[in-house]
Amino acid sequence: MRKKQRQLVSMPCVQWQAQLASLYKNDLLPRERKALRIHLLECSACAQAWDDYQIMDIALRRLPPATLLPQLPRELAEAVHKQQRGNRMLKDDASIKDVTGDLEVLDLDEQLAKHIRKGSVRPESLSRPERHVSRPIRILSTLVAVLIVAVLAGGALLLFSSHSGPESSVVGGQVPASADVLYTIPELPGQMSNAVIYAVNPKNGSIYWKNTFKTKLEQSELIAYQGMLFVSSYDGNLYELNAKTGKVLWKYAVNGHVAGSPIANGSAVYFSTNSGLYAVDIDKGTLLWHVAIPCKPQSKNGVVDPACTYTLSTVANGKVYGFFDGLYAFDASSGKQLWHNSQILSKGSPNAVISEKYLYTIAGLHLDVLDAANGKSVDVSGLTIPGEADGLFEANGVAYYSTSKQLTALRGIEVLWSQSYSNVFPMALSQKTLFIEAYNSLESPHSAPGSYFYALDAATGKIKWHYGDVQGSWGISSSASWDGKLYYCFKGQVKGKWVDGVYILHDGKRDFHPFHN
């Protein structure tokens, strides 16, 4: 009797499929990776699918490297060379050590050998049988290969010389005047080759417009600014869209990979790449100023050394704040350096917020408070906030800081209130209600992990109501609040099928409206 072959990829939970396909550190946010790791401990189907993805990745990386042609552009040659050097991969991330164990780097050949010994991968499946090919066919094949490489090289030259990205197509109408709207990219950054941006009515899920790009997009969260949206893409461009109609207004050729989301403020949009910090005119899409990285970024196994990074943190009060070899402040109109604090390095989230005259950041895995005017550290030794930093959010001049053990509200360096809520993330504020998301029930810390939402009294931090979903996926991206309700976009089930839609949380209840025209 013929032995039934094992299926290559198991069928995982639908709501976790995109996360399971994310093999590398920067594909997911730290909290998304942590949620995925814990889910793998509980779901055998997803754990099997994860294992299958690892095996496939190992097999693909086992393929012999290609020989570089001398006429390839320098940028393309360097990119290919870096990819070929990546014969080692990061098994896990130190920020989730409590779930997965110590950080470990595995050689791919050793990993593959282990799978072969276990029977997960058959050696013969990775080898190619020898076949005799006549000389004329070999010559013809060589000529065809040379022609294909020449065409690809010509295309690469065009790509790196002009950065002319593919156009996008918009369908639908426009956002009505004074209407509430959510802008969302349903898939994870880099997951879809034809990424889609939706403008939807948060009250019922109806689509105002839909813009389909012929490329991948690098971000998942969109915030409208003065009727415009800004999004970076894998085709080497930063796009400005009309938030009302979804049409592309201009595109700017980006020199490198955009780190994080662009930030619009005043008459410019700001972003950072591995070549520095940029300011582009909102109306014209032309460069206003550029600051080169003052240090040389170093990375190991895909992880950038915190001694020199390139991340934009925030823009406020005529200043642009970002991390290189420490935290910098630049004049927003000219790019002139105002101050530099070399003691604050970006070891974790580069998030920073401004409250009154103070700048708060959790880049060092704890709360640092600086004088926003001169960058000098402020003595906060009187603030006793235990635990490692999780989240930082500012609204109405109040900074909400969460750690693995506590949630604290700060105004200046004064503690307004503190609650023993562990592993929560502040999300939004509406009508004196602070919305947070938690990985476990706050009332029962040892309950099953899931997605728990809480509405807190912003003045005291006390719980008003909550909604818990044990099967929910933690770490939503597009969210907003109006009228004391929380709105966010995520997948939901309709007649047994998973579809994109809008969730509305209110008074301890949850409504779901699938996207529809």
Side-chain angles (χ1 to χ4, degrees), residues 340-412:
H340 170 215
N341 188 320
S342 61
Q343 302 301 312
I344 311 297
L345 299 179
S346 181
K347 301 177 183 179
S349 169
N351 189 17
V353 300
I354 304 292
S355 175
E356 296 186 345
K357 64 177 183 179
Y358 300 103
L359 180 146
Y360 306 83
T361 177
I362 57 174
L365 303 180
H366 59 269
L367 182 67
D368 284 296
V369 182
L370 284 70
D371 187 320
N374 54 32
K376 294 182 178 179
S377 296
V378 176
D379 183 12
V380 290
S381 57
L383 297 178
T384 304
I385 306 177
E388 185 175 301
D390 274 341
L392 185 63
F393 173 76
E394 184 275 333
N396 298 337
V398 178
Y400 300 93
Y401 168 53
S402 64
T403 72
S404 57
K405 296 183 179 180
Q406 188 171 295
L407 174 63
T408 304
L410 299 163
R411 186 186 295 276

Coordinates of all heavy atoms in Angstrom, one line a residue, residues 340-412:
H340 N 21.5 67.2 21.1 CA 21.8 65.7 20.9 C 22.1 65.1 22.3 O 22.9 65.6 23.1 CB 23.0 65.5 20.0 CG 23.5 64.1 20.0 ND1 24.9 63.8 19.9 CD2 22.9 62.9 20.1 CE1 25.0 62.5 19.9 NE2 23.8 61.9 20.0
N341 N 21.3 64.1 22.7 CA 21.5 63.4 24.0 C 22.0 62.0 23.6 O 21.3 61.1 23.2 CB 20.2 63.3 24.8 CG 20.4 62.8 26.2 OD1 21.2 61.9 26.4 ND2 19.7 63.4 27.2
S342 N 23.3 61.8 23.8 CA 24.0 60.5 23.4 C 23.7 59.4 24.4 O 24.0 58.3 24.1 CB 25.5 60.7 23.3 OG 26.0 61.1 24.6
Q343 N 23.1 59.7 25.6 CA 22.8 58.7 26.6 C 21.5 57.9 26.3 O 21.3 56.8 26.8 CB 22.7 59.3 28.0 CG 24.0 60.1 28.4 CD 25.2 59.3 28.4 OE1 25.2 58.2 28.9 NE2 26.3 59.8 27.8
I344 N 20.6 58.5 25.5 CA 19.4 57.8 25.2 C 19.5 57.1 23.8 O 19.5 57.7 22.8 CB 18.2 58.8 25.1 CG1 18.2 59.8 26.3 CG2 16.9 58.1 25.0 CD1 18.0 59.1 27.6
L345 N 19.6 55.8 23.9 CA 19.7 54.9 22.7 C 18.4 54.2 22.4 O 17.7 53.9 23.4 CB 20.9 53.9 22.9 CG 22.3 54.5 23.1 CD1 23.3 53.4 23.3 CD2 22.7 55.4 21.9
S346 N 18.2 53.9 21.2 CA 16.9 53.2 20.8 C 17.1 51.7 20.9 O 17.4 51.0 19.9 CB 16.6 53.6 19.4 OG 15.3 53.0 19.0
K347 N 16.9 51.2 22.1 CA 17.0 49.7 22.3 C 15.6 49.0 22.1 O 15.6 47.8 21.8 CB 17.4 49.5 23.7 CG 18.8 50.0 24.0 CD 19.2 49.8 25.5 CE 20.5 50.4 25.8 NZ 20.9 50.2 27.3
G348 N 14.5 49.8 22.2 CA 13.2 49.2 22.0 C 12.4 50.0 21.1 O 12.9 50.5 20.0
S349 N 11.1 50.3 21.4 CA 10.3 51.2 20.6 C 10.9 52.6 20.6 O 11.1 53.2 21.6 CB 8.9 51.2 21.1 OG 8.1 52.2 20.5
P350 N 11.0 53.2 19.4 CA 11.5 54.6 19.4 C 10.4 55.6 19.7 O 10.6 56.8 19.4 CB 12.0 54.7 17.9 CG 11.1 53.8 17.1 CD 10.8 52.7 18.1
N351 N 9.3 55.2 20.2 CA 8.2 56.1 20.4 C 8.5 57.2 21.4 O 9.2 56.9 22.4 CB 7.0 55.3 21.0 CG 5.7 56.1 21.1 OD1 5.6 57.1 20.5 ND2 4.8 55.6 21.9
A352 N 8.1 58.4 21.1 CA 8.3 59.5 22.0 C 7.1 60.4 21.9 O 6.5 60.6 20.9 CB 9.6 60.3 21.6
V353 N 6.7 61.1 23.0 CA 5.6 62.0 23.1 C 6.0 63.2 23.8 O 7.0 63.2 24.6 CB 4.3 61.4 23.7 CG1 3.9 60.1 23.0 CG2 4.6 61.0 25.2
I354 N 5.3 64.3 23.6 CA 5.5 65.6 24.2 C 4.4 65.9 25.1 O 3.2 65.9 24.7 CB 5.7 66.7 23.2 CG1 6.9 66.4 22.2 CG2 6.0 68.0 23.9 CD1 8.2 66.4 22.9
S355 N 4.6 66.3 26.4 CA 3.6 66.8 27.3 C 4.2 68.0 28.0 O 5.2 67.9 28.7 CB 3.2 65.7 28.3 OG 2.3 66.2 29.3
E356 N 3.5 69.2 27.9 CA 4.0 70.4 28.4 C 5.4 70.7 27.9 O 5.6 70.6 26.7 CB 3.9 70.4 29.9 CG 2.5 70.3 30.4 CD 2.4 70.4 31.9 OE1 3.4 70.3 32.6 OE2 1.3 70.7 32.4
K357 N 6.4 70.9 28.7 CA 7.7 71.2 28.3 C 8.6 69.9 28.3 O 9.8 70.0 28.1 CB 8.4 72.2 29.1 CG 8.6 71.8 30.6 CD 9.3 73.0 31.3 CE 9.6 72.5 32.8 NZ 10.3 73.6 33.5
Y358 N 8.0 68.8 28.5 CA 8.8 67.5 28.6 C 8.6 66.6 27.4 O 7.6 66.5 26.8 CB 8.4 66.8 29.9 CG 8.7 67.6 31.2 CD1 7.6 68.2 31.8 CD2 9.9 67.8 31.7 CE1 7.8 68.9 33.0 CE2 10.2 68.5 32.8 CZ 9.1 69.1 33.5 OH 9.3 69.8 34.6
L359 N 9.7 65.9 27.2 CA 9.7 64.8 26.2 C 9.8 63.5 26.9 O 10.7 63.3 27.7 CB 10.8 65.0 25.1 CG 10.9 63.9 24.0 CD1 11.3 64.5 22.7 CD2 11.8 62.7 24.4
Y360 N 8.9 62.5 26.6 CA 8.9 61.2 27.2 C 9.3 60.2 26.1 O 8.8 60.3 25.0 CB 7.6 60.8 27.7 CG 7.0 61.7 28.7 CD1 6.2 62.8 28.3 CD2 7.1 61.5 30.1 CE1 5.7 63.7 29.2 CE2 6.5 62.4 31.0 CZ 5.8 63.5 30.6 OH 5.2 64.4 31.5
T361 N 10.2 59.2 26.4 CA 10.5 58.2 25.5 C 10.7 56.9 26.2 O 11.2 56.9 27.4 CB 11.8 58.5 24.7 OG1 12.1 57.4 23.8 CG2 13.0 58.8 25.6
I362 N 10.4 55.8 25.6 CA 10.6 54.5 26.2 C 11.6 53.7 25.3 O 11.7 52.4 25.4 CB 9.3 53.7 26.3 CG1 8.6 53.5 24.9 CG2 8.4 54.4 27.3 CD1 7.4 52.6 25.0
A363 N 12.4 54.4 24.5 CA 13.4 53.7 23.7 C 14.4 52.9 24.4 O 14.9 51.9 23.9 CB 14.1 54.7 22.8
G364 N 14.7 53.3 25.7 CA 15.7 52.6 26.5 C 15.1 51.5 27.3 O 15.7 51.0 28.3
L365 N 13.8 51.0 27.0 CA 13.1 50.0 27.7 C 12.6 50.4 29.0 O 12.2 49.6 29.8 CB 14.0 48.7 27.8 CG 14.5 48.1 26.4 CD1 15.3 46.9 26.7 CD2 13.3 47.8 25.5
H366 N 12.7 51.7 29.3 CA 12.2 52.3 30.5 C 11.8 53.7 30.2 O 12.1 54.2 29.1 CB 13.1 52.2 31.7 CG 14.4 52.9 31.5 ND1 15.5 52.3 30.9 CD2 14.8 54.2 31.6 CE1 16.5 53.1 30.8 NE2 16.1 54.3 31.2
L367 N 11.2 54.4 31.1 CA 10.8 55.8 30.8 C 11.9 56.7 31.1 O 12.5 56.8 32.2 CB 9.6 56.1 31.7 CG 9.0 57.6 31.5 CD1 8.4 57.7 30.1 CD2 8.0 57.9 32.6
D368 N 12.2 57.5 30.0 CA 13.2 58.6 30.2 C 12.4 59.9 29.9 O 11.6 60.0 29.0 CB 14.3 58.5 29.1 CG 15.3 57.5 29.5 OD1 16.0 57.6 30.6 OD2 15.5 56.5 28.8
V369 N 12.7 60.9 30.8 CA 12.0 62.2 30.6 C 13.1 63.3 30.4 O 14.1 63.3 31.1 CB 11.2 62.6 31.9 CG1 10.5 63.9 31.7 CG2 10.2 61.5 32.2
L370 N 12.9 64.1 29.3 CA 13.9 65.1 28.9 C 13.2 66.4 28.9 O 12.0 66.5 28.6 CB 14.5 64.7 27.6 CG 15.6 63.6 27.5 CD1 15.0 62.3 27.7 CD2 16.3 63.7 26.1
D371 N 14.0 67.5 29.0 CA 13.6 68.8 28.7 C 13.5 69.0 27.2 O 14.6 68.9 26.6 CB 14.5 69.8 29.4 CG 14.0 71.3 29.3 OD1 13.5 71.6 28.2 OD2 14.2 72.0 30.2
A372 N 12.4 69.2 26.6 CA 12.2 69.2 25.2 C 13.0 70.4 24.6 O 13.4 70.3 23.4 CB 10.8 69.3 24.8
A373 N 13.3 71.4 25.3 CA 14.0 72.6 24.8 C 15.5 72.3 24.6 O 16.1 72.8 23.6 CB 13.8 73.8 25.7
N374 N 16.2 71.6 25.5 CA 17.6 71.4 25.4 C 18.1 70.0 25.4 O 19.3 69.7 25.3 CB 18.3 72.2 26.5 CG 17.8 71.8 27.9 OD1 17.4 70.7 28.2 ND2 17.7 72.8 28.8
G375 N 17.1 69.0 25.6 CA 17.5 67.6 25.5 C 18.1 67.0 26.8 O 18.6 65.9 26.8
K376 N 18.2 67.8 27.9 CA 18.8 67.4 29.1 C 17.9 66.5 29.9 O 16.7 66.8 29.9 CB 19.2 68.5 30.0 CG 20.4 69.4 29.3 CD 20.8 70.5 30.3 CE 21.9 71.3 29.7 NZ 22.4 72.4 30.5
S377 N 18.4 65.4 30.5 CA 17.6 64.5 31.2 C 17.0 65.1 32.5 O 17.7 65.9 33.1 CB 18.4 63.2 31.6 OG 18.8 62.5 30.4
V378 N 15.8 64.8 32.8 CA 15.1 65.4 34.0 C 15.1 64.3 35.1 O 14.9 63.1 34.8 CB 13.7 65.8 33.6 CG1 12.9 66.3 34.9 CG2 13.6 66.8 32.6
D379 N 15.4 64.7 36.3 CA 15.5 63.8 37.4 C 14.1 63.3 37.7 O 13.2 64.1 38.2 CB 16.1 64.5 38.6 CG 16.3 63.5 39.8 OD1 16.1 62.3 39.6 OD2 16.6 64.0 40.9
V380 N 13.8 62.1 37.5 CA 12.5 61.5 37.8 C 12.7 60.3 38.8 O 12.0 59.4 38.8 CB 11.8 61.0 36.6 CG1 11.4 62.1 35.7 CG2 12.7 60.0 35.8
S381 N 13.7 60.4 39.6 CA 14.0 59.4 40.6 C 12.9 59.2 41.6 O 12.7 58.2 42.2 CB 15.3 59.7 41.4 OG 15.2 61.0 42.0
G382 N 12.0 60.3 41.7 CA 10.9 60.2 42.6 C 9.8 59.4 42.1 O 8.8 59.0 42.8
L383 N 9.8 59.1 40.7 CA 8.8 58.3 40.1 C 9.1 56.8 40.2 O 10.1 56.4 39.7 CB 8.7 58.7 38.6 CG 8.2 60.1 38.3 CD1 8.2 60.3 36.8 CD2 6.9 60.4 38.9
T384 N 8.3 56.1 40.9 CA 8.6 54.7 41.1 C 7.6 53.9 40.2 O 6.4 53.7 40.6 CB 8.4 54.2 42.6 OG1 9.3 55.0 43.4 CG2 8.7 52.8 42.7
I385 N 8.0 53.5 39.0 CA 7.2 52.8 38.1 C 7.8 51.5 37.7 O 8.7 51.4 36.9 CB 6.9 53.7 36.8 CG1 6.4 55.0 37.2 CG2 5.9 53.0 35.9 CD1 6.2 56.0 36.0
P386 N 7.4 50.4 38.4 CA 8.1 49.1 38.2 C 7.8 48.5 36.8 O 6.7 48.8 36.2 CB 7.6 48.3 39.3 CG 6.2 48.8 39.6 CD 6.3 50.3 39.3
G387 N 8.6 47.6 36.4 CA 8.4 46.8 35.1 C 9.0 47.4 33.9 O 9.4 48.6 33.9
E388 N 9.2 46.6 32.9 CA 9.7 47.0 31.6 C 8.7 47.7 30.8 O 7.5 47.4 30.8 CB 10.3 45.8 30.9 CG 11.0 46.1 29.6 CD 11.6 44.9 28.9 OE1 12.5 44.2 29.6 OE2 11.3 44.6 27.8
A389 N 9.1 48.7 30.0 CA 8.2 49.5 29.2 C 7.5 48.7 28.2 O 8.0 47.9 27.5 CB 9.0 50.7 28.6
D390 N 6.2 49.0 28.1 CA 5.3 48.4 27.1 C 4.8 49.4 26.1 O 4.8 49.2 24.9 CB 4.1 47.7 27.7 CG 4.5 46.2 28.1 OD1 5.5 45.7 27.6 OD2 3.8 45.7 29.0
G391 N 4.1 50.5 26.6 CA 3.5 51.4 25.7 C 3.5 52.8 26.2 O 3.7 53.1 27.4
L392 N 3.4 53.8 25.2 CA 3.4 55.2 25.6 C 2.4 55.9 24.6 O 2.4 55.7 23.4 CB 4.8 55.8 25.4 CG 5.0 57.2 25.8 CD1 4.8 57.4 27.3 CD2 6.5 57.6 25.4
F393 N 1.5 56.8 25.2 CA 0.5 57.4 24.5 C 0.2 58.8 25.1 O 0.3 58.9 26.4 CB -0.8 56.6 24.5 CG -2.0 57.2 23.9 CD1 -2.2 57.3 22.6 CD2 -3.0 57.7 24.8 CE1 -3.3 57.9 22.0 CE2 -4.2 58.3 24.2 CZ -4.3 58.4 22.9
E394 N -0.1 59.8 24.3 CA -0.3 61.1 24.8 C -1.6 61.7 24.3 O -2.0 61.5 23.1 CB 0.8 62.1 24.4 CG 0.7 63.5 25.0 CD -0.2 64.4 24.2 OE1 -0.3 64.2 22.9 OE2 -0.8 65.4 24.7
A395 N -2.4 62.3 25.1 CA -3.7 62.9 24.7 C -4.0 64.0 25.7 O -3.9 63.8 26.9 CB -4.8 61.9 24.7
N396 N -4.4 65.2 25.2 CA -4.8 66.4 26.0 C -3.7 66.7 27.1 O -4.0 67.1 28.2 CB -6.1 66.1 26.7 CG -7.2 65.9 25.7 OD1 -7.2 66.3 24.6 ND2 -8.3 65.2 26.1
G397 N -2.4 66.6 26.7 CA -1.4 67.0 27.6 C -1.0 66.0 28.6 O -0.2 66.3 29.5
V398 N -1.6 64.8 28.6 CA -1.3 63.8 29.6 C -0.6 62.6 28.9 O -1.1 62.2 27.8 CB -2.6 63.3 30.3 CG1 -2.3 62.1 31.3 CG2 -3.3 64.4 31.0
A399 N 0.4 62.1 29.5 CA 1.1 61.0 29.0 C 0.7 59.7 29.7 O 0.7 59.7 31.0 CB 2.7 61.2 29.1
Y400 N 0.3 58.7 29.0 CA -0.1 57.4 29.6 C 1.0 56.4 29.3 O 1.3 56.1 28.1 CB -1.4 56.9 29.0 CG -2.5 57.9 29.3 CD1 -2.9 58.9 28.4 CD2 -3.3 57.9 30.5 CE1 -3.9 59.8 28.6 CE2 -4.3 58.8 30.7 CZ -4.6 59.7 29.8 OH -5.6 60.6 30.0
Y401 N 1.7 55.9 30.3 CA 2.8 55.0 30.2 C 2.5 53.7 30.9 O 2.1 53.6 32.0 CB 4.0 55.7 30.9 CG 5.2 54.8 31.2 CD1 5.8 54.1 30.1 CD2 5.8 54.7 32.4 CE1 6.9 53.3 30.3 CE2 6.9 53.9 32.6 CZ 7.4 53.2 31.6 OH 8.5 52.4 31.8
S402 N 2.7 52.6 30.1 CA 2.4 51.3 30.6 C 3.7 50.4 30.6 O 4.5 50.6 29.8 CB 1.3 50.6 29.7 OG 1.8 50.4 28.4
T403 N 3.7 49.6 31.6 CA 4.8 48.6 31.8 C 4.3 47.2 31.9 O 3.1 47.0 31.9 CB 5.7 49.0 33.0 OG1 5.0 48.7 34.2 CG2 6.1 50.5 33.0
S404 N 5.2 46.3 32.2 CA 4.7 44.9 32.4 C 4.0 44.7 33.7 O 3.4 43.7 33.9 CB 5.9 44.0 32.3 OG 6.9 44.4 33.3
K405 N 3.9 45.8 34.5 CA 3.3 45.7 35.8 C 2.3 46.8 36.2 O 1.5 46.7 37.1 CB 4.3 45.6 36.9 CG 5.2 44.4 36.9 CD 6.2 44.4 38.0 CE 7.1 43.1 38.0 NZ 8.1 43.1 39.1
Q406 N 2.3 47.9 35.4 CA 1.6 49.1 35.8 C 1.2 50.0 34.7 O 1.9 50.1 33.7 CB 2.5 49.8 36.9 CG 1.8 51.0 37.6 CD 2.7 51.5 38.7 OE1 2.9 50.8 39.7 NE2 3.1 52.7 38.6
L407 N 0.1 50.7 34.9 CA -0.3 51.8 33.9 C -0.3 53.1 34.7 O -1.0 53.2 35.8 CB -1.7 51.5 33.3 CG -2.3 52.6 32.4 CD1 -1.4 52.9 31.2 CD2 -3.7 52.3 32.0
T408 N 0.4 54.1 34.2 CA 0.5 55.4 34.9 C 0.2 56.6 34.0 O 0.5 56.6 32.8 CB 2.0 55.6 35.4 OG1 2.3 54.4 36.2 CG2 2.1 56.8 36.2
A409 N -0.6 57.6 34.6 CA -0.9 58.8 33.9 C 0.0 59.9 34.5 O 0.1 60.1 35.7 CB -2.4 59.1 34.1
L410 N 0.7 60.6 33.6 CA 1.6 61.7 34.0 C 1.3 63.0 33.3 O 0.9 63.0 32.1 CB 3.1 61.3 33.6 CG 3.7 60.0 34.2 CD1 4.9 59.6 33.4 CD2 4.0 60.3 35.6
R411 N 1.4 64.1 34.0 CA 1.3 65.4 33.4 C 2.6 66.1 33.9 O 2.8 66.4 35.1 CB 0.1 66.2 33.9 CG 0.0 67.5 33.2 CD -1.2 68.4 33.7 NE -2.4 67.7 33.5 CZ -3.1 67.8 32.3 NH1 -2.6 68.6 31.3 NH2 -4.3 67.2 32.2
G412 N 3.5 66.4 33.0 CA 4.8 66.9 33.4 C 5.5 65.8 34.1 O 5.7 64.7 33.6

